[in-house]
Amino acid sequence: MGMQELERITARRSELDTLAEELAKQLHEVRAEREELIVAERVLNCLAEQDRAVAVAPTPARVAGRAPC
């Protein structure tokens, strides 16, 4: 194997290492945002349930000052 091929392999490996690091960072950011959206979805579903409960019964039950969701 010649030096030129070895240099190309080394350079490509370095490029791929950099790309892998960037992708890992992006994946971490995507997962964090996805978790935030899951929480927001739960809150909105809870609020929608409370709105439906208010429409049926004007005073929803509370336990220790908290809404049922």
Side-chain angles (χ1 to χ4, degrees), residues 35 42 45 54-55 69:
E35 289 300 318
R42 287 179 186 159
N45 284 332
V54 168
C69 291

Side-chain angles (χ1 to χ4, degrees), residues 15-41:
E15 290 172 1
L16 292 174
D17 288 346
T18 300
L19 180 58
E21 289 174 14
E22 292 171 5
L23 290 173
K25 181 181 175 186
Q26 287 179 359
L27 181 58
H28 176 75
E29 292 169 357
V30 165
R31 286 180 174 162
E33 183 176 350
R34 185 177 181 279
E35 289 300 318
E36 290 173 3
L37 291 174
I38 289 170
V39 170
E41 185 178 33

